Amino acid sequence: MTETAIEVKGLRFEWVAGEPVLDIPSFVVARGERVFLEGPSGSGKSTLLGLIGGVLPPREGSVRVLGTDLGKLPSTARDRFRADHIGFVFQMFNLLPYLGVLDNVVLPASFSVRRRERAGDVLAEARRLLDALGIGDPGLLSRDVGRLSIGQQQRVAVARALLGRPDVLIADEPTSALDAGTREAFLELLMSECRATGTTLLFVSHDTALGSLFDRSLGLGAVNRAGRARQAA
Amino acid sequence: MTPLLGLAAKSLWSRRITAGLTVFSIGVSVMLLLAVEKVRSEARESFASTISGTDLIVGARGGPVNLLLYSVFRIGEPTTNVSWRSYRMVASHPDVAWAIPISLGDSHRGFRVVGTSTGYFEHFRYGRKRSLAFETGRPFEALYEAVLGADVARTLGYAIGDEITVAHGIGEVSFVNHAEHPFRVTGILAPTATPVDRAVHVSVEAVSAIHAPWQPGGQDRPAAGTPAPPPSLTAEPHGPTPPIEAGGHDHGHETLHERVEVDAARPASSPPQDGQADYPTERGPAPTGITAFLVGMKTPVATLQMQRALNEYRDEPLLAIMPGVTLQQLWQVVGIGDRALLVIAACVVLAGLTGMVTALLTSLNERRREMAVLRSVGARPAHVFALLVLESGLLASAGAMLGVLLAWTGLRVGEPLLERRFGLFFDLTAPSGYDLAVTGVVIAAGLCAGTLPAWRAYRNSLADGLSMRI
Ligand SMILES: Nc1ncnc2c1ncn2[C@@H]1O[C@H](COP(=O)(O)OP(=O)(O)OP(=O)(O)O)[C@@H](O)[C@H]1O
Ligand SMILES: [Mg+2]
């Protein structure tokens, strides 16, 4: 087992030819580390997460997650790797509106054997996670996910991302739709759950104020030469 | 696949109004396809059994379809008659179970008059070997008595005891009205949904009787003109009263012979011109010729032998056909329209499936986020593809099943009407092979059609990745 969870080397990525969005010589996240990555809107945060999540193939350089070079995997294997090892939480619209709370949380177990096995009793584990995140109330569980508050929806999304103890949890601005008070509470729950399961957390936001809660906080500009070049221009 | 099936079902349920409409439109189209085929095959069946239980129809030599048309459907006219002698010869053959003469050429207010024998009511079969039934009354017995088909009685509002006159020719307006010989209605037949319903049945003797005054010249009935009998026949002496039908049956026709007193009322000025050897003059003029006759044989082998013998008969050019075979030939011509109907129904199914694809494609844009979520929890683009194919498969399956249900219910509800009006019967106990095939093909077509939106969703989900935005 390698000690690094995420290792990005010499990565270059551009959506439009000649306009590099990312040019990252090196970016490393250690196992179990909780990292806050900050950057202004449009700086390429989501793009970087797509590359780490194996949804976008790197054009140049390498992205290693848990020692596996994603760029060298065929797309199906990348998809499978993501299903097995990475949990995602997005800004909003994380949930399938036509599924109930529990059905949403157990979704990763339908696509990854590894996570199903690691979860043990999937439904019990889903309930435990929801409980730990403070939304285990039966009244909430039976509710249509569309009727939950945004904060509750985001906690359901975290429970789903953590089901089956993925090695890495990637959060793409999950708090930006929450008010300040809810945001603090949400982050504390997220942190303690990651700590409890030993999950590596890569948390991305443009809200610099949140950085102090993490093991490490850095700006995307510090690792991304393309961003610097553009900002300089 | 199982979690995907659950997802597909739940996703469809969340869009149940659109999905329901899609299912309904597929259902209606499948219903149409099934019902059209059911009615079509039953119509063919019913057509093929316009006449059943009759082994041979014999008429003057000509086209088989033509013979069938004028003898059974009462369409068109024969050019020549069959001699009474030939009829008698066949009727008395030991292999013949029964023979029924048919004499056409007259009409009553647009309805054909059929001269026949009482054996007609006993031996004629239609549909699944159903015999004619009397709604009211009884067969004709006396010379100037008539039995009406159901349509005739209903359309013209006749009842038992009414008197009708017979006109020469078959038009609504006929120039020669045999008004001096009114017929009394003695019976009305139950509906059969065959040409029988539109016929006025009288005895062949009556047909001869009303023509007797005009017969010497032989010019009276141009359409069903009676050829002058061979001299050898007229020369024969009068014999004892024979049964009209041969084969040892005695089914009521003897009463016809007993009704001599009616015949006595016939004007004395119209004696039979060419009374035949085996015909009693007091029963009215013996027919010299008839249009055709129906034959029931004792064995199938005898049928084939008799058919060959008649078709090779030297003394008179005759044609004997097996009605079932010729009905099938005729259906080849008549059945074109309903094949077109089937094609139209198939097109409606196509339209239903196209509607489904349209609905799915339209929904895809608003579902891109859903696909991105699925991708983020580990679904591969192939899963997204399969999800949409499953959805269309579910829609098509539900539609096909709804269609079967609708067709079944529709035919159940419409059965009495269809039976009364068109003589169609439906066997609705179990789905037919065709039903299953249609259901299978529609589901398969639905799955195939689903690949189009599925492919779109697949491409979308590749392009969107995880970050589909609002
Ligand atoms: N699918 C795409 N096709 C083309 N260009 C894209 C695509 N997605 C993002 N981009 C471009 O890449 C750049 C980085 O976008 P990205 O979404 O990574 O920014 P971000 O840092 O996540 O911004 P935000 O904080 O607003 O979410 C932007 O200039 C954006 O226009
Ligand atoms: Mg972003």
Side-chain angles (χ1 to χ4, degrees):
Chain A
M1 263 233 198
T2 49
E3 281 308 305
T4 51
I6 301 165
E7 187 179 17
V8 175
K9 278 237 149 51
L11 174 72
R12 290 174 67 90
F13 187 88
E14 49 192 38
W15 285 106
V16 183
E19 291 177 33
V21 176
L22 296 175
D23 180 0
I24 304 176
S26 174
F27 172 59
V28 179
V29 178
R31 262 182 187 269
E33 198 180 9
R34 289 174 293 281
V35 174
F36 179 80
L37 189 65
E38 171 272 327
S41 188
S43 58
K45 303 184 295 293
S46 294
T47 306
L48 177 61
L49 296 187
L51 285 156
I52 294 169
V55 183
L56 300 172
R59 305 285 150 89
E60 216 177 284
S62 70
V63 177
R64 288 175 173 273
V65 178
L66 307 166
T68 305
D69 189 342
L70 296 183
K72 293 222 167 72
L73 290 179
S75 67
T76 321
R78 272 208 308 272
D79 285 321
R80 206 163 270 141
F81 184 88
R82 179 179 68 253
D84 284 346
H85 299 284
I86 306 176
F88 281 93
V89 183
F90 298 102
Q91 183 178 3
M92 53 193 337
F93 307 115
N94 283 290
L95 308 179
L96 293 184
Y98 51 81
L99 294 184
V101 172
L102 273 176
D103 282 343
N104 260 295
V105 175
V106 300
L107 262 182
S110 327
F111 294 101
S112 164
V113 178
R114 182 178 190 261
R115 285 177 70 177
R116 182 163 61 236
E117 281 165 359
R118 283 165 70 104
D121 180 346
V122 175
L123 274 178
E125 173 68 359
R127 285 214 176 78
R128 188 195 68 76
L129 282 166
L130 287 167
D131 238 8
L133 290 162
I135 41 168
D137 184 57
L140 280 177
L141 290 193
S142 61
R143 208 176 295 174
D144 215 350
V145 289
R147 298 243 170 79
L148 297 176
S149 76
I150 302 289
Q152 287 164 339
Q153 286 185 28
Q154 292 303 74
R155 279 183 277 172
V156 173
V158 170
R160 183 177 68 199
L162 288 172
L163 187 94
R165 287 183 287 122
D167 305 87
V168 177
L169 192 148
I170 289 176
D172 192 354
E173 309 196 53
T175 55
S176 59
L178 305 180
D179 62 80
T182 318
R183 182 161 48 213
E184 300 288 306
F186 174 81
L187 272 175
E188 264 158 35
L189 283 170
L190 177 63
M191 294 295 216
S192 65
E193 267 314 303
C194 284
R195 207 175 298 125
T197 52
T199 306
T200 308
L201 174 64
L202 180 56
F203 189 107
V204 153
S205 175
H206 56 250
D207 189 351
T208 20
L210 301 171
S212 55
L213 295 162
F214 291 79
D215 295 344
R216 181 153 67 105
S217 165
L218 73 161
L220 183 59
V223 292
N224 183 18
R225 284 199 300 230
R228 275 201 297 269
R230 200 162 36 189
Q231 271 157 6
Chain B
M1 238 5 141
T2 352
L4 282 184
L5 196 62
L7 281 182
K10 283 172 178 158
S11 165
L12 283 177
W13 180 247
S14 75
R15 288 173 285 127
R16 50 191 168 274
I17 299 204
T18 354
L21 283 172
T22 305
V23 167
F24 182 74
S25 77
I26 295 174
V28 166
S29 63
V30 168
M31 170 199 77
L32 206 63
L33 193 59
L34 292 179
V36 162
E37 173 57 22
K38 275 258 187 313
V39 170
R40 192 179 96 99
S41 69
E42 180 48 41
R44 181 176 50 217
E45 189 69 22
S46 138
F47 181 82
S49 51
T50 308
I51 180 169
S52 59
T54 295
D55 295 316
L56 292 173
I57 300 176
V58 184
R61 197 156 295 166
V65 170
N66 201 32
L67 171 55
L68 186 79
L69 282 178
Y70 64 71
S71 65
V72 175
F73 294 95
R74 320 267 147 76
I75 297 168
E77 297 290 327
T79 44
T80 337
N81 271 2
V82 176
S83 72
W84 184 253
R85 203 164 93 103
S86 295
Y87 163 67
R88 290 290 315 134
M89 183 195 71
V90 173
S92 57
H93 191 279
D95 285 343
V96 170
W98 49 265
I100 301 167
I102 301 280
S103 194
L104 302 166
D106 294 315
S107 66
H108 172 72
R109 294 175 66 181
F111 291 101
R112 290 290 195 110
V113 170
V114 178
T116 184
S117 68
T118 50
Y120 189 78
F121 306 114
E122 191 177 340
H123 296 300
F124 185 87
R125 294 283 184 279
Y126 69 97
R128 302 202 170 115
K129 300 271 159 70
R130 285 157 63 112
S131 54
L132 298 175
F134 277 83
E135 191 77 58
T136 53
R138 53 165 178 82
F140 49 75
E141 289 172 357
L143 193 60
Y144 292 109
E145 289 187 342
V147 170
L148 306 183
D151 279 358
V152 183
R154 191 170 42 81
T155 314
L156 302 178
Y158 287 145
I160 302 289
D162 286 352
E163 294 213 323
I164 62 172
T165 56
V166 167
H168 184 71
I170 53 170
E172 191 82 48
V173 184
S174 302
F175 42 92
V176 186
N177 221 328
H178 307 296
E180 66 269 37
H181 306 301
F183 282 79
R184 205 165 54 80
V185 175
T186 63
I188 293 167
L189 295 172
T192 63
T194 71
V196 171
D197 293 350
R198 304 184 52 78
V200 174
H201 305 86
V202 301
S203 65
V204 267
E205 292 84 1
V207 170
S208 300
I210 55 175
H211 292 105
W214 294 276
Q215 246 175 353
Q219 305 301 312
D220 177 49
R221 309 178 64 192
T226 46
S232 59
L233 275 179
T234 47
E236 282 175 48
H238 292 181
T241 307
I244 290 178
E245 291 111 35
H249 289 258
D250 68 342
H251 29 64
H253 56 253
E254 65 276 15
T255 52
L256 193 62
H257 310 307
E258 288 157 8
R259 291 294 178 129
V260 284
E261 76 281 358
V262 179
D263 295 343
R266 196 171 36 79
S269 60
S270 58
Q273 295 301 303
D274 40 20
Q276 279 172 346
D278 52 359
Y279 224 81
T281 44
E282 65 277 13
R283 284 191 53 227
T288 53
I290 53 175
T291 308
F293 55 96
L294 313 179
V295 182
M297 300 297 293
K298 284 178 180 161
T299 64
V301 178
T303 305
L304 291 168
Q305 287 169 346
M306 179 59 87
Q307 187 186 22
R308 187 162 353 101
L310 288 172
N311 287 336
E312 290 165 1
Y313 188 53
R314 293 261 180 81
D315 293 5
E316 189 180 356
L318 293 177
L319 172 70
I321 59 166
M322 293 198 242
V325 174
T326 311
L327 278 165
Q328 291 293 352
Q329 285 173 2
L330 191 55
W331 184 255
Q332 304 292 315
V333 183
V334 189
I336 288 172
D338 67 12
R339 244 168 286 155
L341 209 59
L342 202 61
V343 171
I344 291 168
C347 288
V348 175
V349 171
L350 203 66
L353 290 176
T354 311
M356 176 188 81
V357 172
T358 313
L360 283 178
L361 279 176
T362 321
S363 74
L364 279 190
N365 240 349
E366 51 202 68
R367 295 179 66 195
R368 286 173 86 148
R369 210 180 289 131
E370 175 189 332
M371 302 305 162
V373 170
L374 281 172
R375 291 271 278 145
S376 77
V377 296
R380 292 191 284 284
H383 285 129
V384 171
F385 184 89
L387 181 72
L388 273 137
V389 170
L390 280 175
E391 281 187 14
S392 49
L394 282 175
L395 288 172
S397 309
M401 278 184 283
L402 179 70
V404 171
L405 206 72
L406 285 177
W408 196 85
T409 326
L411 289 176
R412 253 293 138 84
V413 171
E415 202 178 16
L417 183 78
L418 288 168
E419 183 176 340
R420 206 159 358 99
R421 290 290 302 276
F422 306 107
L424 303 181
F425 306 89
F426 297 97
D427 177 23
L428 294 171
T429 45
S432 68
Y434 177 84
D435 294 348
L436 295 177
V438 163
T439 317
V441 166
V442 167
I443 293 171
L447 288 171
C448 287
T451 57
L452 181 61
W455 177 248
R456 277 286 299 275
Y458 175 87
R459 296 300 305 269
N460 282 349
S461 74
L462 275 185
D464 292 345
L466 306 174
S467 51
M468 173 60 201
R469 264 155 265 178
I470 313 158

